[in-house]
């Protein structure tokens, strides 16, 4: 089996190339962790000043995820962002002022208060009014960033490693050497995809497991579906990387595709909210393979949906890979002449 | 009986014409040398025979098949000018890969690897990773890879560049062995003493075959005592 020979060769090469191996598997974990540390505000304990609250309310708040701090001038402290919210109680009325300049904190304060009030032993439902300190309501939830990041980093690193190694095949003359053998073009590409695909599968497993079990990205659906989607995304990244490598003369030129091809995908992957963007900007999303993969991951992980709800996304990602595969065959044929 | 036949082959890269209407036949079981300065079109000509390059005009027939033909490629061993080796792999792993690509039966692979490594004097480096090889060792391993499937036609593009004279001599002895076994060898070179060891020579200059024949005939025709002088004389006539 000639394809098997290519696969075995690529696996051997890749195992010896420890740095590329690390780039593909450890780097996504590292960056995922860093991004999560930056974005994840769940562990943050919002600080709250309380004025005039009865003891049971105070106790309930203290038991929640909120932290009560004593400040001299609560209004000033709130303005200085020393505290995140101010709770003023007057009999049955509770008035909360939230510093919403940092979106996640506002979200956390609201969640904390809900928790606190729901847990109160006296069944009295207080009259609450909530006020935001700033007019511009920058309320964004980062809940959906995790699934998107899994897809994005799987895509990015497979693109990078796959593209560069195929480029090296060109620059060191081994691809041309293969053209002098009875190997057919599709055998070369398929061998490449299978060889790298194996590492992409391993990467998908590790990244998905790490994100869910170590970083605690919510997972309401099936882990297997998450891995399936990540694998398909990696496949599209691999075929795209191989394709673009034929338009690059060296590694540096391949790097130049990152701001052109990869970064725009980050903008349209769902990490940023496009609801208020102009229509034509939002349409660009349809041309980005990552946005389909990210959408599927959100469906599974956040909404807990199954295969039926993501199959269109999967078809698009698969179709994109197929298109790149065919284009690869075409460029290989042209190159062979 | 001819094994390779070129009919009116022309090729150009962009505006630069590299091969100009070349017609040439190469007989089976000979060592055929393509001699010419760098930039004369040796590599391009060789690539049309190997089948990695389809000329713009004319046709190349190898083993009665018009090139490029994947099937005929199975009978050709090719050593390119650049050492097309996988640097992360060992010598043995590189050879095993090419053996599989050319469909060498599994049971024979181990024996073949030892055989070709011995041919090029690399037995001791069988399990070493190519990354650490010297330039000459890489050349030799490339040659071994071209021999692994026992091709009928061996095409070598500057095989002895960077190889010391002693080993170069050994490799040429090996070509003579292969010839005795019926293998046809096409070799490009710009080293004159290598040219003397070929059965037939084609002198290439500016994309034209300016002369061809046995080394003795070429020297006799020009009344010179070395291939170098003969080459210069043909070059002058041409100009």
């Amino acid at each position: 089996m000639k394809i098997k020979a290519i696969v075995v060769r690529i696996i051997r090469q890749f195992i010896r190339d420890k740095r590329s191996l690390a780039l593909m598997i450890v780097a996504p974990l590292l960056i995922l962790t860093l991004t999560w540390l930056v974005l994840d505000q769940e562990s943050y304990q919002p600080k709250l000043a309380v004025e005039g609250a009865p003891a049971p309310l105070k106790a309930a708040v203290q038991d929640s995820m909120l932290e009560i701090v004593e400040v001299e001038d609560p209004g000033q402290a709130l303005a200085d962002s020393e505290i995140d919210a101010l709770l003023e109680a007057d009999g049955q009325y509770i008035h909360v002022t939230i510093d919403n300049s940092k979106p996640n904190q506002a979200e956390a304060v609201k969640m904390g208060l809900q928790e606190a009030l729901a847990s109160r032993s006296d069944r009295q439902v207080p009259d609450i009014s909530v006020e935001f300190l700033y007019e511009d309501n920058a309320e964004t939830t980062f809940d959906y960033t995790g699934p998107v990041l899994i897809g994005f980093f799987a895509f990015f690193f497979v693109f990078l490693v796959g593209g560069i190694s195929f480029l090296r095949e060109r620059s060191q003359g081994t691809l041309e050497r293969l053209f002098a053998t009875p190997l057919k073009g599709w055998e070369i590409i398929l061998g490449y995809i299978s060889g790298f695909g194996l590492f992409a599968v391993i990467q998908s497993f590790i990244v998905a497991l790490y994100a869910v079990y170590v970083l605690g990205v919510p997972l309401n659906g099936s882990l297997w579906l998450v891995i399936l989607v990540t694998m398909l995304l990696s496949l599209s990244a691999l075929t795209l990387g191989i394709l673009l490598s034929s338009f690059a003369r060296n590694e540096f030129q391949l790097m130049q595709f990152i701001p052109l091809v990869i970064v725009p995908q980050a903008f349209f992957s769902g990490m940023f909210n496009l609801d208020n963007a102009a229509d034509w900007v939002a349409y660009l999303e349809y041309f980005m393979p990552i946005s389909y993969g990210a959408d599927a991951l959100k469906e599974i992980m956040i909404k807990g949906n199954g295969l039926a709800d993501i199959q269109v996304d999967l078809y698009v990602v698969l179709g994109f890979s197929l298109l790149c595969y065919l284009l690869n065959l075409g460029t290989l044929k042209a190159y062979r002449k | 009986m001819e094994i390779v036949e070129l009919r009116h082959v022309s090729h150009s890269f962009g505006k630069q014409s590299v091969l100009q209407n070349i017609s040439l036949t190469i007989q089976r079981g000979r060592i055929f040398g393509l001699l010419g300065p760098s930039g004369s079109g040796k590599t391009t000509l060789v690539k049309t025979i190997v089948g990695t390059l389809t000329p713009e005009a004319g046709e190349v027939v190898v083993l009665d098949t018009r090139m490029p033909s994947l099937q005929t490629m199975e009978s050709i061993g090719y050593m390119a000018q650049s050492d097309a080796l996988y640097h992360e792999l060992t010598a043995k792993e590189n050879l095993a890969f090419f053996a599989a690509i050319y469909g060498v039966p599994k049971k024979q692979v181990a024996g073949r690897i030892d055989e070709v490594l011995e041919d090029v004097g690399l037995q001791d480096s069988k399990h070493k990773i190519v990354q650490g090889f010297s330039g000459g060792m890489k050349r030799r391993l490339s040659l071994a890879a071209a021999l692994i499937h026992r091709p009928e036609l061996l095409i070598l593009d500057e095989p002895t560049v960077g190889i010391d004279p002693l080993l170069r001599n050994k490799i040429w002895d090996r070509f003579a062995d292969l010839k005795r076994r019926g293998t046809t060898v096409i070799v490009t070179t710009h080293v004159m003493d290598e040219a003397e060891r070929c059965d037939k020579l084609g002198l290439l200059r500016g994309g034209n075959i300016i002369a061809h024949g046995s080394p003795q005939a070429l020297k006799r025709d020009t009344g010179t005592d070395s291939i170098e002088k003969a080459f210069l004389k043909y070059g002058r006539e041409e100009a």
Side-chain angles (χ1 to χ4, degrees):
Chain A
M1 269 300 281
K2 289 168 185 174
I3 295 179
K4 195 180 136 207
I6 301 180
V7 174
V8 169
R9 188 206 89 210
I10 287 169
I11 293 171
R12 276 179 174 157
Q13 272 182 294
F14 207 51
I15 286 174
R16 300 254 164 81
D17 187 0
K18 296 279 188 295
R19 267 172 75 153
S20 299
L21 199 62
L23 183 72
M24 196 155 143
I25 291 171
V26 182
L29 301 188
L30 181 72
I31 297 192
L32 207 56
T33 309
L34 286 175
T35 325
W36 204 246
L37 285 175
V38 172
L39 296 182
D40 185 29
Q41 305 292 336
E42 302 253 299
S43 54
Y44 178 77
Q45 209 176 8
K47 295 188 180 70
L48 185 76
V50 178
E51 276 195 329
L57 176 63
K58 239 180 164 172
V61 171
Q62 215 135 25
D63 285 342
S64 76
M65 59 192 281
L66 303 172
E67 185 194 353
I68 296 181
V69 289
E70 300 288 343
V71 286
E72 280 188 20
D73 182 358
Q76 189 58 41
L78 191 62
D80 291 344
S81 290
E82 278 172 35
I83 55 173
D84 301 299
L86 172 61
L87 187 151
E88 293 156 302
D90 186 8
Q92 199 56 285
Y93 296 98
I94 294 177
H95 183 75
V96 185
T97 314
I98 298 175
D99 172 5
N100 57 331
S101 65
K102 300 173 228 159
N104 282 38
Q105 263 131 298
E107 203 60 38
V109 170
K110 282 201 318 201
M111 277 172 64
L113 278 176
Q114 270 165 6
E115 190 191 333
L117 296 172
S119 71
R120 277 185 66 177
S121 45
D122 50 355
R123 286 286 178 180
Q124 271 177 301
V125 179
D127 208 346
I128 312 172
S129 62
V130 174
E131 181 197 343
F132 289 108
L133 191 59
Y134 302 102
E135 239 184 80
D136 178 22
N137 190 350
E139 196 178 310
T140 320
T141 161
F142 278 93
D143 270 353
Y144 54 56
T145 317
V148 175
L149 289 175
I150 294 176
F152 181 74
F153 292 131
F155 188 93
F156 177 62
F157 288 103
V158 171
F159 170 84
L160 204 61
V161 174
I164 286 184
S165 69
F166 202 75
L167 181 79
R168 241 191 284 168
E169 192 93 26
R170 259 169 227 278
S171 57
Q172 72 187 8
T174 43
L175 187 64
E176 193 171 345
R177 180 68 183 79
L178 291 186
F179 287 163
T181 70
L183 271 182
K184 295 182 184 76
W186 66 267
E187 290 177 316
I188 297 177
I189 301 279
L190 209 62
Y192 237 83
I193 290 175
S194 317
F196 268 98
L198 182 82
F199 291 100
V201 169
I202 296 173
Q203 186 217 43
S204 305
F205 258 94
I206 294 177
V207 171
L209 290 174
Y210 184 82
V212 171
Y213 293 108
V214 180
L215 299 180
V217 176
L219 175 67
N220 295 315
S222 147
L223 184 67
W224 292 106
L225 279 181
V226 172
I227 292 168
L228 175 73
V229 174
T230 320
M231 266 163 45
L232 288 178
L233 261 182
S234 304
L235 182 70
S236 68
L238 186 59
T239 49
L240 181 69
I242 293 176
L243 183 66
L244 292 184
S245 77
S246 48
F247 299 104
R249 232 171 270 133
N250 49 47
E251 276 93 340
F252 182 57
Q253 287 193 345
L254 190 72
M255 294 292 171
Q256 292 163 359
F257 282 118
I258 293 174
L260 289 175
V261 177
I262 304 295
V263 174
Q265 301 225 43
F267 294 140
F268 293 93
S269 60
M271 257 186 269
F272 302 95
N273 198 336
L274 295 176
D275 287 346
N276 300 319
D279 278 353
W280 69 271
V281 176
Y283 280 132
L284 286 176
E285 195 181 334
Y286 293 111
F287 298 98
M288 312 278 175
I290 290 185
S291 70
Y292 294 93
D295 184 58
L297 287 172
K298 279 192 282 184
E299 290 280 329
I300 303 163
M301 300 184 77
I302 296 168
K303 297 185 191 166
N305 285 334
L307 195 60
D309 300 281
I310 58 164
Q311 54 176 330
V312 175
D313 287 322
L314 296 188
Y315 291 147
V316 174
V317 176
L318 210 57
F320 180 84
S321 310
L322 194 67
L323 179 73
C324 286
Y325 173 74
L326 292 175
L327 288 172
N328 274 321
L329 283 188
T331 49
L332 216 57
K333 227 169 221 162
Y335 187 79
R336 206 164 191 167
K337 285 187 174 158
Chain B
M1 209 177 91
E2 69 269 10
I3 189 165
V4 175
E5 190 176 358
L6 286 87
R7 298 183 196 128
H8 307 289
V9 171
S10 296
H11 194 76
S12 58
F13 294 115
K15 275 182 189 160
Q16 201 191 345
S17 168
V18 186
L19 298 177
Q20 295 170 14
N21 196 22
I22 289 183
S23 294
L24 186 71
T25 54
I26 295 169
Q27 301 299 312
R28 199 181 275 272
R30 303 271 171 82
I31 299 178
F32 185 90
L34 266 173
L35 188 67
S38 58
S40 57
K42 295 192 298 275
T43 296
T44 312
L45 186 62
V46 154
K47 279 183 183 172
T48 66
I49 302 173
V50 174
T52 56
L53 187 112
T54 312
E56 286 168 346
E59 58 176 1
V60 181
V61 177
V62 178
L63 290 159
D64 302 318
T65 337
R66 189 175 168 167
M67 297 303 283
S69 146
L70 288 181
Q71 207 174 358
T72 306
M73 283 178 183
E74 277 177 36
S75 317
I76 302 177
Y78 173 51
M79 175 181 173
Q81 210 160 22
S82 63
D83 299 304
L85 299 167
Y86 300 99
H87 290 182
E88 297 86 357
L89 304 185
T90 64
K92 182 192 157 200
E93 286 164 349
N94 267 286
L95 294 174
F97 172 68
F98 284 106
I101 295 295
Y102 281 105
V104 174
K106 235 182 182 143
K107 283 181 186 161
Q108 296 180 24
V109 172
R112 291 278 184 96
I113 289 176
D114 288 330
E115 177 189 307
V116 293
L117 280 176
E118 180 143 8
D119 282 340
V120 297
L122 281 178
Q123 308 94 303
D124 297 339
S125 305
K126 185 175 171 184
H127 297 290
K128 286 186 189 139
I129 288 176
V130 173
Q131 197 96 59
F133 277 26
S134 70
M137 286 164 83
K138 285 183 200 159
R139 278 322 274 149
R140 281 142 68 195
L141 187 59
S142 287
L143 177 61
L147 295 171
I148 194 87
H149 58 296
R150 291 189 179 152
E152 270 181 75
L153 174 62
L154 190 60
I155 300 175
L156 310 161
D157 199 357
E158 307 259 5
T160 53
V161 171
I163 295 184
D164 65 89
L166 207 72
L167 191 69
R168 201 167 73 191
N169 209 38
K170 246 184 89 181
I171 286 175
W172 273 88
D173 288 344
R174 175 79 182 115
F175 293 163
D177 287 345
L178 286 167
K179 180 189 145 188
R180 230 167 286 135
R181 274 196 240 152
T183 309
T184 311
V185 182
I186 300 175
V187 56
T188 73
T189 182
H190 56 250
V191 183
M192 297 299 164
D193 66 324
E194 287 188 357
E196 298 272 7
R197 299 186 65 164
C198 299
D199 298 317
K200 281 273 161 59
L201 278 176
L203 306 191
L204 201 61
R205 191 167 171 273
N208 288 298
I209 297 274
I210 54 173
H212 69 103
S214 67
Q216 295 73 27
L218 291 175
K219 283 187 280 191
R220 192 170 9 132
D221 285 356
T222 51
T224 52
D225 57 1
S226 76
I227 293 292
E228 191 161 6
K229 284 177 188 157
F231 192 100
L232 288 171
K233 195 153 188 195
Y234 281 118
R236 234 172 280 134
E237 281 171 19
E238 191 77 359

